[in-house]
Amino acid sequence: DLWKIPEYQKKFVETAVTLLKRGGTMTYSTCTFNSSENEEMVSYILSQHPSMKLVPIDIDFGLSGQPNKGLTEEQCQLVRRFDPSNTSMDTMGFFVAKFVKATCTT
């Protein structure tokens, strides 16, 4: 059933982006380290919603995004991944990305 979850995530994102006011902030976060729900979903948001801009998260811990999962190297640096294989983090795994909706469409 893991392959179904990204489809649910897309539905949640579509609703969230529609409801978000221009200039508003949206945090996209999951409690998994599955790239299809994380980096690939961030790539989906950026490709389907040009008004959404990926912005830095003001934390200096965690790992950057996984390469070759739909994001550029620069975009990978803007997201945060907390992977359970990294024993120094003591986490089950989660992911965070931050977006701002553009104030105008140009």
mmCIF file of all heavy atoms in Angstrom, residues 2-7 13 15 18 30 33 39-40 42 51 53-54 66 75 77-78 81 83 91-93 98 102 105:
data_model
loop_
_atom_site.group_PDB
_atom_site.id
_atom_site.type_symbol
_atom_site.label_atom_id
_atom_site.label_comp_id
_atom_site.label_asym_id
_atom_site.label_seq_id
_atom_site.Cartn_x
_atom_site.Cartn_y
_atom_site.Cartn_z
ATOM 1 N N LEU A 2 2.156 1.160 0.164
ATOM 2 C CA LEU A 2 3.006 2.359 0.192
ATOM 3 C C LEU A 2 2.923 3.175 -1.091
ATOM 4 O O LEU A 2 3.083 4.390 -1.061
ATOM 5 C CB LEU A 2 4.465 1.982 0.464
ATOM 6 C CG LEU A 2 4.779 1.516 1.877
ATOM 7 C CD1 LEU A 2 6.240 1.118 1.987
ATOM 8 C CD2 LEU A 2 4.444 2.587 2.889
ATOM 9 N N TRP A 3 2.655 2.524 -2.198
ATOM 10 C CA TRP A 3 2.578 3.256 -3.468
ATOM 11 C C TRP A 3 1.354 4.166 -3.527
ATOM 12 O O TRP A 3 1.306 5.108 -4.308
ATOM 13 C CB TRP A 3 2.604 2.287 -4.654
ATOM 14 C CG TRP A 3 1.430 1.341 -4.671
ATOM 15 C CD1 TRP A 3 1.345 0.114 -4.057
ATOM 16 C CD2 TRP A 3 0.179 1.541 -5.317
ATOM 17 N NE1 TRP A 3 0.119 -0.451 -4.272
ATOM 18 C CE2 TRP A 3 -0.633 0.399 -5.053
ATOM 19 C CE3 TRP A 3 -0.350 2.568 -6.095
ATOM 20 C CZ2 TRP A 3 -1.922 0.268 -5.528
ATOM 21 C CZ3 TRP A 3 -1.649 2.422 -6.581
ATOM 22 C CH2 TRP A 3 -2.417 1.286 -6.295
ATOM 23 N N LYS A 4 0.322 3.926 -2.696
ATOM 24 C CA LYS A 4 -0.887 4.750 -2.674
ATOM 25 C C LYS A 4 -0.692 6.053 -1.892
ATOM 26 O O LYS A 4 -1.365 7.046 -2.158
ATOM 27 C CB LYS A 4 -2.047 3.980 -2.039
ATOM 28 C CG LYS A 4 -2.547 2.822 -2.848
ATOM 29 C CD LYS A 4 -3.702 2.159 -2.106
ATOM 30 C CE LYS A 4 -4.186 0.928 -2.852
ATOM 31 N NZ LYS A 4 -5.271 0.261 -2.099
ATOM 32 N N ILE A 5 0.196 6.024 -0.934
ATOM 33 C CA ILE A 5 0.339 7.167 -0.034
ATOM 34 C C ILE A 5 0.705 8.455 -0.771
ATOM 35 O O ILE A 5 0.107 9.500 -0.495
ATOM 36 C CB ILE A 5 1.323 6.845 1.110
ATOM 37 C CG1 ILE A 5 0.707 5.738 1.973
ATOM 38 C CG2 ILE A 5 1.626 8.079 1.946
ATOM 39 C CD1 ILE A 5 1.607 5.187 3.037
ATOM 40 N N PRO A 6 1.651 8.448 -1.727
ATOM 41 C CA PRO A 6 1.924 9.702 -2.448
ATOM 42 C C PRO A 6 0.691 10.267 -3.161
ATOM 43 O O PRO A 6 0.549 11.486 -3.273
ATOM 44 C CB PRO A 6 3.022 9.311 -3.432
ATOM 45 C CG PRO A 6 3.707 8.162 -2.780
ATOM 46 C CD PRO A 6 2.607 7.411 -2.086
ATOM 47 N N GLU A 7 -0.204 9.422 -3.604
ATOM 48 C CA GLU A 7 -1.426 9.915 -4.243
ATOM 49 C C GLU A 7 -2.305 10.647 -3.233
ATOM 50 O O GLU A 7 -2.909 11.672 -3.549
ATOM 51 C CB GLU A 7 -2.187 8.770 -4.912
ATOM 52 C CG GLU A 7 -1.466 8.190 -6.109
ATOM 53 C CD GLU A 7 -1.065 9.234 -7.153
ATOM 54 O OE1 GLU A 7 -1.905 10.100 -7.517
ATOM 55 O OE2 GLU A 7 0.104 9.194 -7.595
ATOM 56 N N VAL A 13 -2.048 18.173 -0.663
ATOM 57 C CA VAL A 13 -1.295 19.339 -1.133
ATOM 58 C C VAL A 13 -2.170 20.221 -2.012
ATOM 59 O O VAL A 13 -2.157 21.454 -1.882
ATOM 60 C CB VAL A 13 -0.012 18.898 -1.873
ATOM 61 C CG1 VAL A 13 0.561 20.029 -2.702
ATOM 62 C CG2 VAL A 13 1.020 18.390 -0.883
ATOM 63 N N THR A 15 -5.342 20.697 -1.974
ATOM 64 C CA THR A 15 -6.264 21.444 -1.122
ATOM 65 C C THR A 15 -5.522 22.530 -0.352
ATOM 66 O O THR A 15 -5.980 23.672 -0.283
ATOM 67 C CB THR A 15 -6.989 20.494 -0.144
ATOM 68 O OG1 THR A 15 -7.704 19.531 -0.914
ATOM 69 C CG2 THR A 15 -7.946 21.251 0.754
ATOM 70 N N THR A 18 -4.524 25.491 -2.567
ATOM 71 C CA THR A 18 -5.717 26.263 -2.931
ATOM 72 C C THR A 18 -6.163 27.164 -1.785
ATOM 73 O O THR A 18 -6.533 28.317 -2.004
ATOM 74 C CB THR A 18 -6.869 25.318 -3.331
ATOM 75 O OG1 THR A 18 -6.445 24.537 -4.444
ATOM 76 C CG2 THR A 18 -8.121 26.080 -3.695
ATOM 77 N N THR A 30 6.404 15.032 6.709
ATOM 78 C CA THR A 30 5.935 13.655 6.807
ATOM 79 C C THR A 30 6.681 12.948 7.931
ATOM 80 O O THR A 30 7.752 13.388 8.352
ATOM 81 C CB THR A 30 6.175 12.864 5.504
ATOM 82 O OG1 THR A 30 7.583 12.723 5.294
ATOM 83 C CG2 THR A 30 5.528 13.546 4.304
ATOM 84 N N PHE A 33 10.777 8.492 5.823
ATOM 85 C CA PHE A 33 11.968 8.880 5.062
ATOM 86 C C PHE A 33 11.872 8.354 3.637
ATOM 87 O O PHE A 33 12.848 8.290 2.910
ATOM 88 C CB PHE A 33 13.266 8.440 5.755
ATOM 89 C CG PHE A 33 13.301 6.979 6.118
ATOM 90 C CD1 PHE A 33 13.914 6.067 5.282
ATOM 91 C CD2 PHE A 33 12.727 6.529 7.285
ATOM 92 C CE1 PHE A 33 13.941 4.727 5.607
ATOM 93 C CE2 PHE A 33 12.762 5.192 7.623
ATOM 94 C CZ PHE A 33 13.368 4.277 6.777
ATOM 95 N N GLU A 39 11.080 14.102 -1.174
ATOM 96 C CA GLU A 39 11.705 14.862 -2.253
ATOM 97 C C GLU A 39 10.852 14.859 -3.521
ATOM 98 O O GLU A 39 10.692 15.893 -4.171
ATOM 99 C CB GLU A 39 13.098 14.306 -2.575
ATOM 100 C CG GLU A 39 14.131 14.558 -1.499
ATOM 101 C CD GLU A 39 14.165 13.506 -0.410
ATOM 102 O OE1 GLU A 39 13.330 12.557 -0.426
ATOM 103 O OE2 GLU A 39 15.029 13.614 0.471
ATOM 104 N N GLU A 40 10.307 13.706 -3.859
ATOM 105 C CA GLU A 40 9.495 13.632 -5.078
ATOM 106 C C GLU A 40 8.203 14.439 -4.937
ATOM 107 O O GLU A 40 7.715 15.010 -5.908
ATOM 108 C CB GLU A 40 9.205 12.179 -5.437
ATOM 109 C CG GLU A 40 10.454 11.445 -5.882
ATOM 110 C CD GLU A 40 10.243 9.957 -6.121
ATOM 111 O OE1 GLU A 40 9.104 9.534 -6.377
ATOM 112 O OE2 GLU A 40 11.246 9.212 -6.062
ATOM 113 N N VAL A 42 7.954 17.217 -3.056
ATOM 114 C CA VAL A 42 8.393 18.614 -3.161
ATOM 115 C C VAL A 42 8.567 18.970 -4.636
ATOM 116 O O VAL A 42 8.124 20.032 -5.087
ATOM 117 C CB VAL A 42 9.694 18.855 -2.365
ATOM 118 C CG1 VAL A 42 10.284 20.224 -2.679
ATOM 119 C CG2 VAL A 42 9.423 18.715 -0.874
ATOM 120 N N SER A 51 3.349 29.128 -8.245
ATOM 121 C CA SER A 51 3.257 30.176 -7.227
ATOM 122 C C SER A 51 3.932 29.775 -5.915
ATOM 123 O O SER A 51 4.160 30.616 -5.048
ATOM 124 C CB SER A 51 1.787 30.515 -6.946
ATOM 125 O OG SER A 51 1.118 29.397 -6.382
ATOM 126 N N LYS A 53 7.030 28.711 -3.700
ATOM 127 C CA LYS A 53 8.489 28.822 -3.702
ATOM 128 C C LYS A 53 9.045 28.060 -2.501
ATOM 129 O O LYS A 53 8.599 28.270 -1.366
ATOM 130 C CB LYS A 53 8.896 30.291 -3.620
ATOM 131 C CG LYS A 53 10.394 30.489 -3.625
ATOM 132 C CD LYS A 53 10.784 31.942 -3.552
ATOM 133 C CE LYS A 53 12.297 32.027 -3.524
ATOM 134 N NZ LYS A 53 12.782 33.344 -3.175
ATOM 135 N N LEU A 54 10.015 27.186 -2.755
ATOM 136 C CA LEU A 54 10.709 26.466 -1.692
ATOM 137 C C LEU A 54 11.680 27.434 -1.028
ATOM 138 O O LEU A 54 12.472 28.087 -1.708
ATOM 139 C CB LEU A 54 11.451 25.267 -2.287
ATOM 140 C CG LEU A 54 12.126 24.295 -1.341
ATOM 141 C CD1 LEU A 54 11.103 23.629 -0.418
ATOM 142 C CD2 LEU A 54 12.882 23.245 -2.134
ATOM 143 N N GLN A 66 17.673 13.910 -0.462
ATOM 144 C CA GLN A 66 18.377 12.895 -1.245
ATOM 145 C C GLN A 66 18.548 13.374 -2.685
ATOM 146 O O GLN A 66 17.602 13.888 -3.282
ATOM 147 C CB GLN A 66 17.615 11.584 -1.259
ATOM 148 C CG GLN A 66 17.689 10.828 0.021
ATOM 149 C CD GLN A 66 17.054 9.453 -0.093
ATOM 150 O OE1 GLN A 66 16.158 9.234 -0.890
ATOM 151 N NE2 GLN A 66 17.529 8.532 0.711
ATOM 152 N N GLN A 75 17.962 22.803 -4.242
ATOM 153 C CA GLN A 75 16.699 22.481 -3.576
ATOM 154 C C GLN A 75 16.903 21.445 -2.473
ATOM 155 O O GLN A 75 16.260 21.530 -1.422
ATOM 156 C CB GLN A 75 15.672 22.000 -4.590
ATOM 157 C CG GLN A 75 15.206 23.091 -5.527
ATOM 158 C CD GLN A 75 14.450 22.554 -6.727
ATOM 159 O OE1 GLN A 75 14.620 21.404 -7.139
ATOM 160 N NE2 GLN A 75 13.611 23.399 -7.311
ATOM 161 N N GLN A 77 19.306 21.246 -0.526
ATOM 162 C CA GLN A 77 19.845 21.943 0.641
ATOM 163 C C GLN A 77 18.765 22.688 1.418
ATOM 164 O O GLN A 77 18.973 23.051 2.577
ATOM 165 C CB GLN A 77 20.950 22.915 0.223
ATOM 166 C CG GLN A 77 22.144 22.251 -0.414
ATOM 167 C CD GLN A 77 22.782 21.206 0.484
ATOM 168 O OE1 GLN A 77 22.993 21.437 1.668
ATOM 169 N NE2 GLN A 77 23.061 20.042 -0.077
ATOM 170 N N LEU A 78 17.614 22.932 0.792
ATOM 171 C CA LEU A 78 16.540 23.691 1.433
ATOM 172 C C LEU A 78 15.581 22.827 2.246
ATOM 173 O O LEU A 78 14.804 23.353 3.040
ATOM 174 C CB LEU A 78 15.745 24.468 0.373
ATOM 175 C CG LEU A 78 16.517 25.544 -0.377
ATOM 176 C CD1 LEU A 78 15.654 26.145 -1.473
ATOM 177 C CD2 LEU A 78 17.016 26.620 0.572
ATOM 178 N N ARG A 81 15.849 16.297 6.146
ATOM 179 C CA ARG A 81 15.528 14.868 6.252
ATOM 180 C C ARG A 81 16.142 14.356 7.550
ATOM 181 O O ARG A 81 17.298 14.639 7.859
ATOM 182 C CB ARG A 81 16.128 14.166 5.043
ATOM 183 C CG ARG A 81 16.205 12.688 5.108
ATOM 184 C CD ARG A 81 16.828 12.135 3.829
ATOM 185 N NE ARG A 81 15.858 12.094 2.781
ATOM 186 C CZ ARG A 81 14.983 11.114 2.622
ATOM 187 N NH1 ARG A 81 14.968 10.097 3.456
ATOM 188 N NH2 ARG A 81 14.122 11.127 1.642
ATOM 189 N N ASP A 83 16.799 10.855 9.158
ATOM 190 C CA ASP A 83 16.837 9.450 8.757
ATOM 191 C C ASP A 83 17.223 8.573 9.931
ATOM 192 O O ASP A 83 18.200 8.850 10.624
ATOM 193 C CB ASP A 83 17.866 9.322 7.623
ATOM 194 C CG ASP A 83 17.798 8.009 6.899
ATOM 195 O OD1 ASP A 83 17.612 6.968 7.555
ATOM 196 O OD2 ASP A 83 17.940 8.019 5.666
ATOM 197 N N THR A 91 15.927 9.057 15.750
ATOM 198 C CA THR A 91 14.595 9.333 15.233
ATOM 199 C C THR A 91 14.066 8.144 14.438
ATOM 200 O O THR A 91 14.836 7.329 13.943
ATOM 201 C CB THR A 91 14.613 10.579 14.327
ATOM 202 O OG1 THR A 91 13.295 10.824 13.833
ATOM 203 C CG2 THR A 91 15.545 10.412 13.147
ATOM 204 N N MET A 92 12.752 8.072 14.336
ATOM 205 C CA MET A 92 12.133 7.046 13.496
ATOM 206 C C MET A 92 12.163 7.476 12.033
ATOM 207 O O MET A 92 11.936 6.686 11.149
ATOM 208 C CB MET A 92 10.689 6.808 13.941
ATOM 209 C CG MET A 92 10.608 6.145 15.297
ATOM 210 S SD MET A 92 8.932 5.982 15.939
ATOM 211 C CE MET A 92 8.039 5.278 14.593
ATOM 212 N N GLY A 93 12.373 8.721 11.769
ATOM 213 C CA GLY A 93 12.454 9.259 10.422
ATOM 214 C C GLY A 93 11.335 10.241 10.128
ATOM 215 O O GLY A 93 10.170 9.962 10.400
ATOM 216 N N LYS A 98 9.646 23.769 3.496
ATOM 217 C CA LYS A 98 8.901 25.000 3.757
ATOM 218 C C LYS A 98 8.693 25.737 2.444
ATOM 219 O O LYS A 98 9.635 25.922 1.661
ATOM 220 C CB LYS A 98 9.679 25.868 4.749
ATOM 221 C CG LYS A 98 9.013 27.165 5.127
ATOM 222 C CD LYS A 98 9.896 27.899 6.145
ATOM 223 C CE LYS A 98 9.361 29.262 6.470
ATOM 224 N NZ LYS A 98 10.267 29.977 7.398
ATOM 225 N N ALA A 102 3.649 32.829 -3.649
ATOM 226 C CA ALA A 102 3.985 34.131 -4.223
ATOM 227 C C ALA A 102 2.851 35.116 -4.017
ATOM 228 O O ALA A 102 1.674 34.757 -4.007
ATOM 229 C CB ALA A 102 4.287 33.979 -5.716
ATOM 230 N N THR A 105 1.262 36.891 -9.413
ATOM 231 C CA THR A 105 1.537 35.932 -10.483
ATOM 232 C C THR A 105 2.143 36.667 -11.662
ATOM 233 O O THR A 105 1.508 37.504 -12.281
ATOM 234 C CB THR A 105 0.261 35.200 -10.921
ATOM 235 O OG1 THR A 105 -0.714 36.170 -11.287
ATOM 236 C CG2 THR A 105 -0.286 34.341 -9.800
#
